[in-house]
Structure formats: structure tokens, C-alpha cells
């Protein structure tokens, strides 16, 4: 079937045939000598794809997905990448406004009449070891809405640019000669919820792969290590299984050399839950000593052969609010944080693991102990790197609708989304669930954030209720309730404000003080800034319920651009790409430049934050 374009604006359809979100664990065929996974189930599809770009969806090749399509107009494009970084369409940086403002008068869930479309084609063969197994197709990130086809048949549809989408393609895939087609629309109703302060891009910008699952597979795992006041730890493990054929075997798991368990498996056993296991003299997880224990899960068949092996790292910690203080492992937490966009000046939000490792080094190097993933879930590798490094994470849901309630710098929420409109509830709850289910096992995550600058209302309240029910062991954060006081008691565990001067914080803590105070964005690091930073640090000494904050932000958003006269490349900001609607150099807010060279402000951060966490 050709793409059903009603999906793009239908509030009841934000995914079709997409699998449920699950934990980010990786499964292997066996264990190597070092105790790591070996012989994976995964086939990466990154690299060169055939590509057709159409500036207007009404003129696109509607049947490009058919196997008899000639493809004579196709060019080549590298995946992952942004379409605009390959010379198609318009690079644009814009902050609060929507990219179509000034061109068309639209209201949610309408989309621009001129909607650019990217069509991708990729051929692949299955590895021999995958041929008799269930096959899953996975996209890590596609902006903003995609229709997927395989071998001429419709597979599914998905929105939500920054969380993975998976489809079961077992009944459509071949051993050889598969033709995968993906049609990506730049604008959809999801665009109303993805109005983050960043460059506006589109396309397949994170990795793509297929993976297979064996006859017995751990579909989802939930693991928790809760640190106790007496120095012990409580460990729990929950697993959910799927089966392809009749299966008999067993499950064996171990947590280092301190805990273990096993169970008999067959198709009647759909889940496993360990008892609460108390472990004495546990080593707690902390910024200074991020101790992690090796969890190993192995599924054996009836002949004793390994069917699946899963390694994972887990730490023991405890976060709570006590006497209006944010407490971590039963001690007051000083949040010395920074907001971080994913960024590379050569490729935009397409970043490598090497980029992430450099960011970890720089973040720890200036004594930051916490990161807010503004304003969407990052690539999954980021959270494991934070686990290893001891960086506490505020894990933000992919939601920002800034331009729907703030117009011309005034708060004007007459048609804000998601607001109280029940039509948007399922969409934002799905985004919350995707964020939680994917990342729930990462020890570094201490806050779930409901999103950014999306005002408030019943749908934001419902997101909070979801997180509190799904995970009572972590705190929930949301700043937008500041504009909607009626919801202050039922949306966020902390009082969160942006750019509040120290005196306003004092006034809150002295007159109200019913919740700990976090400045989720402060010290807007643009130009020669960060003056007065130490005044915020002084608040730690004045008020026990002041928990700290997150600098805006870590890295400049700027792109390399070639100067035609000299032939040299320079860092270009908003407005340097011929876009008619732009917020110009407002994207330059980092304590490091886009090329990751520290600015003078970086040294100020190192000195002030070092006063708290040395």
C-alpha cells in the first residue's frame, strides 16, 4: 500500500505495527573468555543507501517502495545523517518558534502544505546464522515521521524522532535480496511536540540495523539495586520471555559472585521475578566511586547449549527527598550540572561514541556531576557511558512545545499542546513510556523529566502519574508547572525554575520551601558570560533545600561552513545558511565550542563546581 498520509495528522495514529518499547540490553550467542558477549545477533545497515529527495510531498514518487520501481532518479546518501547536511532542503536554526511560522497560519495538528520527503532504499542479505530466527528491524532515530516497507510490503509507521522504533519483519524478510524502503516526512503532528531549541533537521540520523532472536529470548529485563542505610543492598530482577518454537531449557543468572538464581523454562513460562535479595556490605554507586556489578543472564536449551547470553552492569544507589532535601545514598546531593545537546560541528546531531567519550571527559574535567539530556532521549550508548563515569542523569522525555504557548515572548496558552486536550494524551504517554522502558536499568539515572517548556495541564499530569507508578525509586522533574501553579503538587517532585536569580530562589525557599529547588537551566553561557556564578554556589550554604542546577549549556551548536573566498572552514551559527527565519547566534551557549575546545567559562565552572564535589 502507498503511504496513508492521514497518519501524519491523525491524533489517534502515532505508530502502526511498532513493537512495544523494552530495555536496551544486548543479547549474544555466547560468552567469551573475558565474560563479555560474543557472536552477536545483529546486522548493521548503516552506510550508503539509495536516496530520492522531494521538496514537496505532493510531487514525490508514491510507488518507490514497489520492487519493480526503476530507481533511476536515486542518488546516494550516507546513513546515519541529516538530509540537510547532505545539501538537500534548508538548514535552519530556530529557538521557540515553529519553522513554518511567517509562512502559513497553522494550528495543531495541522502540518505545512509544502512538506519535504526523503525516500531511502537499502538492499541487504541475512547472515546465515539468522536465517531460521525471528527478525526485528530497528531504527534508533528518525526525524520526524516514517513509513517502512520491505520487499514491496508495508511494514509500519512511527513518529517520535529520538526514541527507537522496532518492527517484526519475520514474515516479510528473505534470506537474500531484501529491499528495505523508508519514506521520511519532515513534518508531522509530532513536529508540534519537538520544538526544541536547536537546528531543525530531518531524516534517518541514528543507526539502523536488523537483529534476530533465538527460540527463547529475553524480550525485556528490569533490574534494580537499592542501597540501604545499613550499608547493605537489595537486588531485584524481572525478565519477560518470548518463544519461537517449542522450547525446554533453563535460565541461570549471577551478579558477580554475590548473588545468583536459576529457573526452568518452557513456553508456559512467560516471565521470571527473583525474590528481593539482600546483600551485605555492598559498594554503593557514587560520582566519585561509580562501582558497578556484572550481571550475567544465560539461557540454555535442554541439551545444555547456550541459546542466549546477556551481560549488563548495575550499581546500588538510593535517591529520595527527605526534609525538603534531595538525598543521594542518605546524604544531601549537590547537583553541579550541565544541559547537553548531542552535537558535532561536521554532522549536527549525528554523533559518534568517540564524541560521547570526549564529552564525558570534558564534563568530568570541569567537575560537573550531573547531565540533563535536553530535551530528548540521547543515543542509548550515552547512558552506559554515564553509568561507567558516575555522572548522574536527568533523563528527559522527547517533548517540547514552546511555540504553542509562548508567543512574542508572552505567555499565551490559548492553543498550547499537549495541554488539557485528551486527544494528545496517548501520544505523550507513549513518549514517556518509551523513555522509561528503554532506559530503566541505568544506575546513573536519578530523575525522569517530563519534557521541557511545554506549559502544563492534565496530559503533563498524566505523564507524572505514569512515571510515579512505573518507577517509585526515582524522582520526577518538570519545570513548566511554574507557569501553572494549580499543578505544583501533582506534577514534579521538585520546584524547578529557569534562570531564576539568586534572590528569587531565596524568596521561594524562605516563603514556601515545600520542595527542594532546582534551577534546571541557569547561567546562560552565551558570549562573555557566567559572571556571578559563585552567587548560586553560595545558596548551598544558605539553604539545605537548594539542590543546585544545570548550566545552559554544554556545547555550542555551530556547523562547519566553507568560506568560498579563502577555502577555509569556520564555525557558522544560525542565520549563516540563508534561512529567512532564524534566532542567529543564540545557539552559541556552550561552556565548550562546537569543536569541543573549552571556553574561558569552562575554567570558571571547574573552579566553582570543584568547591562542592572535590
Amino acid at each position: 500500500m502507498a503511504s496513508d498520509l492521514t497518519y501524519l495528522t491523525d491524533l489517534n495514529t502515532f505508530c502502526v505495527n511498532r513493537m512495544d518499547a523494552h530495555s536496551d540490553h544486548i543479547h549474544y550467542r555466547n560468552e567469551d573468555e573475558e565474560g563479555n558477549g560474543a557472536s552477536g545477533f545483529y546486522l548493521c545497515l548503516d552506510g550508503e543507501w539509495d536516496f530520492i529527495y522531494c521538496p514537496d510531498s505532493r510531487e514525490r514518487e508514491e510507488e518507490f517502495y514497489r520492487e519493480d520501481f526503476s530507481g533511476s532518479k536515486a542518488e546516494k546518501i550516507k546513513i546515519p545523517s541529516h538530509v540537510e547536511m547532505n545539501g538537500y532542503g534548508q538548514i535552519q536554526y530556530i529557538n521557540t518558534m515553529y519553522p513554518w511560522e511567517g509562512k502559513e497560519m497553522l494550528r495543531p495538528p495541522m502540518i505545512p502544505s509544502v512538506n519535504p520527503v526523503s525516500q531511502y532504499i537499502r538492499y541487504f542479505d541475512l547472515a546465515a546464522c539468522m536465517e531460521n530466527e525471528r527478525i526485528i528491524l530497528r531504527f534508533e532515530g528518525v526525524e520526524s515521521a516514517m513509513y517502512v516497507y520491505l520487499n514491496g510490503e508495508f511494514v509500519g509507521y512511527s513518529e517520535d524522532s529520538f526514541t527507537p522504533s522496532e518492527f517484526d519483519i519475520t514474515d516479510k524478510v528473505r534470506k537474500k535480496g531484501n529491499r528495505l524502503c523508508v519514506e521520511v516526512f519532515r513534518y508531522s503532528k509530532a513536529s508540534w511536540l519537538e520544538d526544541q531549541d536547536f537546528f531543525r533537521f530531518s531524516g534517518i540520523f541514528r543507526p539502523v540495523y536488523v537483529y534476530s532472536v533465538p527460540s527463547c529470548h529475553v524480550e525485556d529485563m528490569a533490574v534494580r539495586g537499592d542501597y540501604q542505610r545499613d550499608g547493605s543492598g537489595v537486588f531485584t530482577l524481572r525478565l519477560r520471555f518470548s518463544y519461537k518454537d517449542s522450547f525446554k531449557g533453563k535460565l541461570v543468572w549471577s551478579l558477580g559472585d554475590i548473588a545468583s538464581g536459576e529457573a526452568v523454562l518452557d513456553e508456559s513460562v512467560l516471565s521470571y521475578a527473583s525474590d528481593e535479595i539482600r546483600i551485605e556490605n555492598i559498594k554503593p554507586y557514587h560520582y566519585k566511586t561509580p562501582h558497578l556489578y556484572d550481571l550475567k543472564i544465560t539461557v540454555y536449551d535442554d541439551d545444555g547449549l547456550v541459546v542466549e547470553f546477556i551481560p549488563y552492569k548495575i550499581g546500588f544507589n538510593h535517591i529520595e527527598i527527605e526534609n525538603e532535601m534531595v538525598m543521594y545514598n542518605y546524604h544531601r546531593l549537590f547537583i553541579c550540572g550541565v544541559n547537553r545537546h548531542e552535537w558535532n560541528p561536521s554532522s549536527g546531531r549525528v554523533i559518534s561514541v568517540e564524541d560521547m567519550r570526549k564529552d564525558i571527559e570534558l564534563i568530568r574535567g570541569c567537575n560537573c556531576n550531573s547531565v540533563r539530556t535536553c530535551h530528548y532521549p540521547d543515543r542509548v550508548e550515552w547512558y552506559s557511558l554515564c553509568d561507567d563515569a558516575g555522572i548522574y542523569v536527568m533523563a528527559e522525555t522527547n517533548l517540547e512545545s514552546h511555540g504553542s504557548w509562548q508567543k512574542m515572548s508572552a505567555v499565551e496558552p490559548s492553543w498550547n499542546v499537549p495541554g488539557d486536550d485528551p486527544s494528545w494524551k496517548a501520544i505523550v504517554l507513549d513518549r514517556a513510556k518509551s523513555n522509561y522502558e528503554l532506559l530503566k536499568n541505568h544506575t546513573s539515572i536519578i530523575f525522569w523529566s517530563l519534557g521541557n517548556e511545554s506549559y502544563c495541564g492534565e496530559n503533563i499530569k498524566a505523564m507524572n502519574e505514569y512515571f510515579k507508578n512505573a518507577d517509585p525509586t526515582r524522582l520526577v522533574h518538570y519545570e513548566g508547572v511554574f507557569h501553572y501553579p494549580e499543578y505544583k503538587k501533582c506534577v514534579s517532585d521538585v520546584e524547578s525554575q529557569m534562570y531564576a536569580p539568586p534572590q528569587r530562589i531565596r524568596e521561594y525557599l524562605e516563603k514556601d520551601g515545600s520542595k527542594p529547588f532546582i534551577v534546571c537551566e541557569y547561567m546562560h553561557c552565551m558570549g562573555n558570560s557566567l559572571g556571578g556564578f559563585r552567587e548560586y554556589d553560595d545558596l548551598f550554604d544558605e539553604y539545605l533545600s537548594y539542590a543546585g542546577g544545570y548550566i545552559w549549556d554544554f556545547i555550542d551548536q555551530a556547523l562547519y561552513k566553507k568560506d568560498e573566498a579563502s577555502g577555509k572552514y569556520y564555525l557558522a551559527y544560525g542565520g549563516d545558511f540563508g534561512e529567512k527565519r532564524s534566532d542567529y547566534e543564540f545557539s552559541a551557549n556552550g561552556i565548550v565550542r562546537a569543536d569541543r575546545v573549552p571556553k574561558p567559562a569552562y575554567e570558571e565552572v571547574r573552579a566553582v563546581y570543584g568547591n562542592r564535589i572535590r
Side-chain angles (χ1 to χ4, degrees):
M1 66 173 229
S3 301
D4 184 345
L5 299 191
T6 64
Y7 294 169
L8 297 173
T9 54
D10 180 7
L11 291 172
N12 295 312
T13 308
F14 48 88
C15 62
V16 177
N17 297 334
R18 193 196 69 196
M19 296 175 63
D20 291 339
H22 58 80
S23 55
D24 68 340
H25 66 275
I26 298 175
H27 59 291
Y28 299 88
R29 296 188 184 275
N30 47 53
E31 180 180 3
D32 64 18
E33 293 181 357
E34 285 74 38
N36 301 311
S39 303
F41 288 88
Y42 297 80
L43 174 64
C44 180
L45 298 184
D46 292 353
E48 190 173 76
W49 291 45
D50 291 342
F51 181 72
I52 303 171
Y53 179 78
C54 183
D56 188 335
S57 61
R58 294 167 293 191
E59 300 174 3
R60 77 193 196 285
E61 299 280 357
E62 293 188 28
E63 297 188 341
F64 87 107
Y65 66 91
R66 291 172 57 95
E67 292 197 86
D68 58 1
F69 179 75
S70 68
S72 59
K73 296 182 180 180
E75 300 177 286
K76 300 294 183 182
I77 195 170
K78 180 183 177 182
I79 298 299
S81 68
H82 300 298
V83 169
E84 293 75 15
M85 294 295 292
N86 286 275
Y88 303 96
Q90 176 65 59
I91 294 175
Q92 181 184 26
Y93 165 68
I94 197 167
N95 179 13
T96 63
M97 292 185 292
Y98 288 100
W100 52 78
E101 290 192 43
K103 301 176 183 178
E104 289 186 81
M105 178 67 74
L106 302 177
R107 292 292 181 268
M110 298 166 61
I111 59 175
S113 56
V114 178
N115 193 1
V117 177
S118 300
Q119 296 174 328
Y120 302 83
I121 304 170
R122 174 70 151 86
Y123 297 89
F124 70 93
D125 300 330
L126 291 181
C129 59
M130 305 170 74
E131 291 178 357
N132 296 314
E133 296 173 328
R134 188 160 65 97
I135 306 297
I136 310 300
L137 171 64
R138 181 179 176 96
F139 297 87
E140 293 285 346
V142 180
E143 193 172 6
S144 73
M146 66 172 168
Y147 296 79
V148 182
Y149 301 85
L150 183 64
N151 299 328
E153 296 184 61
F154 176 68
V155 170
Y157 171 83
S158 185
E159 299 169 5
D160 189 352
S161 300
F162 294 93
T163 49
S165 296
E166 290 188 340
F167 304 93
D168 190 326
I169 57 172
T170 307
D171 62 345
K172 296 179 177 62
V173 73
R174 304 166 181 157
K175 295 180 180 179
K176 303 288 183 181
N178 291 286
R179 186 175 186 270
L180 173 63
C181 297
V182 185
E183 188 168 39
V184 179
F185 288 76
R186 180 166 187 174
Y187 300 120
S188 68
K189 61 185 174 294
S191 303
W192 290 99
L193 304 177
E194 297 176 0
D195 190 33
Q196 287 94 343
D197 174 12
F198 58 20
F199 277 82
R200 308 307 167 102
F201 293 126
S202 62
I204 303 174
F205 70 98
R206 286 181 180 169
V208 182
Y209 50 90
V210 294
Y211 68 89
S212 63
V213 298
S215 51
C216 178
H217 173 56
V218 176
E219 290 279 351
D220 183 62
M221 58 179 279
V223 59
R224 174 65 185 156
D226 191 15
Y227 184 63
Q228 305 294 293
R229 286 185 184 273
D230 62 4
S232 65
V234 174
F235 175 78
T236 55
L237 173 67
R238 291 184 290 110
L239 305 174
R240 176 167 53 84
F241 302 99
S242 66
Y243 301 90
K244 182 176 181 290
D245 302 309
S246 57
F247 179 85
K248 291 184 178 181
K250 68 175 180 178
L251 163 76
V252 175
W253 66 264
S254 63
L255 184 68
D257 58 359
I258 58 175
S260 62
E262 62 179 69
V264 175
L265 297 179
D266 60 37
E267 290 182 79
S268 67
V269 181
L270 300 179
S271 63
Y272 168 85
S274 72
D275 296 328
E276 287 193 351
I277 301 173
R278 183 173 289 272
I279 304 168
E280 301 299 328
N281 300 316
I282 206 74
K283 294 180 181 178
Y285 180 90
H286 187 269
Y287 169 79
K288 295 180 180 178
T289 53
H291 191 87
L292 296 170
Y293 290 84
D294 291 318
L295 174 65
K296 297 180 181 180
I297 299 169
T298 310
V299 176
Y300 297 91
D301 66 16
D302 210 25
D303 296 322
L305 299 177
V306 174
V307 173
E308 180 175 83
F309 171 70
I310 299 169
Y312 209 88
K313 293 182 178 181
I314 185 70
F316 287 78
N317 62 0
H318 188 90
I319 185 165
E320 62 183 338
I321 293 175
E322 184 178 285
N323 297 324
E324 289 75 51
M325 289 188 293
V326 177
M327 305 289 283
Y328 188 83
N329 292 345
Y330 310 100
H331 297 279
R332 181 186 176 195
L333 178 63
F334 298 89
I335 295 175
C336 299
V338 66
N339 287 275
R340 173 185 173 271
H341 271 297
E342 295 182 304
W343 195 253
N344 181 294
S346 298
S347 54
R349 285 188 292 278
V350 180
I351 64 170
S352 67
V353 174
E354 289 71 27
D355 290 332
M356 298 182 218
R357 292 188 188 281
K358 181 62 176 177
D359 289 351
I360 293 284
E361 176 186 333
L362 286 165
I363 288 168
R364 284 206 58 120
C366 66
N367 294 314
C368 288
N369 66 359
S370 188
V371 167
R372 178 177 176 226
T373 65
C374 60
H375 300 291
Y376 43 80
D378 291 346
R379 273 188 60 172
V380 293
E381 295 92 341
W382 176 250
Y383 302 89
S384 294
L385 291 172
C386 287
D387 290 344
D388 291 339
I391 294 176
Y392 308 137
V393 176
M394 178 180 283
E396 198 137 273
T397 302
N398 180 24
L399 174 63
E400 180 169 342
S401 60
H402 201 157
S404 75
W405 62 270
Q406 188 175 45
K407 292 100 174 179
M408 303 300 290
S409 300
V411 176
E412 198 287 289
S414 60
W415 51 269
N416 74 293
V417 291
D420 297 319
D421 186 345
S423 301
W424 290 90
K425 182 177 181 179
I427 297 175
V428 296
L429 282 178
D430 178 72
R431 289 170 178 242
K433 182 177 181 180
S434 294
N435 191 28
Y436 167 72
E437 292 291 355
L438 177 70
L439 304 171
K440 58 182 176 283
N441 297 319
H442 287 282
T443 306
S444 56
I445 294 176
I446 60 175
F447 285 96
W448 298 112
S449 179
L450 306 183
N452 182 65
E453 293 178 316
S454 297
Y455 204 60
C456 202
E458 287 298 307
N459 292 322
I460 300 290
K461 177 183 176 183
M463 294 174 69
N464 174 73
E465 291 171 349
Y466 167 78
F467 278 115
K468 299 308 289 185
N469 289 328
D471 185 6
T473 69
R474 294 181 174 101
L475 303 180
V476 174
H477 164 272
Y478 186 63
E479 177 270 342
V481 70
F482 170 72
H483 300 286
Y484 213 149
E486 300 94 306
Y487 286 89
K488 280 199 172 187
K489 293 184 179 180
C490 57
V491 168
S492 178
D493 289 324
V494 295
E495 174 72 16
S496 179
Q497 296 182 22
M498 291 184 177
Y499 307 109
Q503 187 53 39
R504 189 202 299 171
I505 298 173
R506 289 187 179 95
E507 290 173 1
Y508 167 81
L509 293 173
E510 290 175 359
K511 295 179 181 180
D512 186 334
S514 59
K515 293 181 179 180
F517 195 104
I518 288 177
V519 205
C520 66
E521 292 181 19
Y522 74 134
M523 300 310 301
H524 195 271
C525 196
M526 184 178 180
N528 185 21
S529 60
L530 229 70
F533 187 28
R534 194 171 294 275
E535 293 181 31
Y536 286 92
D537 183 72
D538 290 342
L539 293 171
F540 282 124
D541 297 324
E542 297 177 38
Y543 302 96
L544 293 176
S545 52
Y546 177 69
Y550 295 86
I551 295 167
W552 187 264
D553 56 5
F554 171 64
I555 189 169
D556 281 0
Q557 293 181 71
L559 295 165
Y560 286 129
K561 187 178 181 182
K562 187 176 182 179
D563 179 76
E564 296 302 328
S566 67
K568 296 181 180 179
Y569 285 87
Y570 64 96
L571 288 170
Y573 296 87
D576 291 336
F577 301 93
E579 68 267 49
K580 293 183 179 180
R581 180 72 70 179
S582 177
D583 284 296
Y584 305 102
E585 74 278 9
F586 201 70
S587 63
N589 314 128
I591 59 175
V592 302
R593 297 187 333 198
D595 57 5
R596 289 178 169 76
V597 173
K599 298 180 182 179
Y602 182 89
E603 296 303 324
E604 179 77 358
V605 175
R606 187 207 303 268
V608 174
Y609 276 171
N611 184 49
R612 292 295 159 190
I613 63 172
R614 62 178 182 272

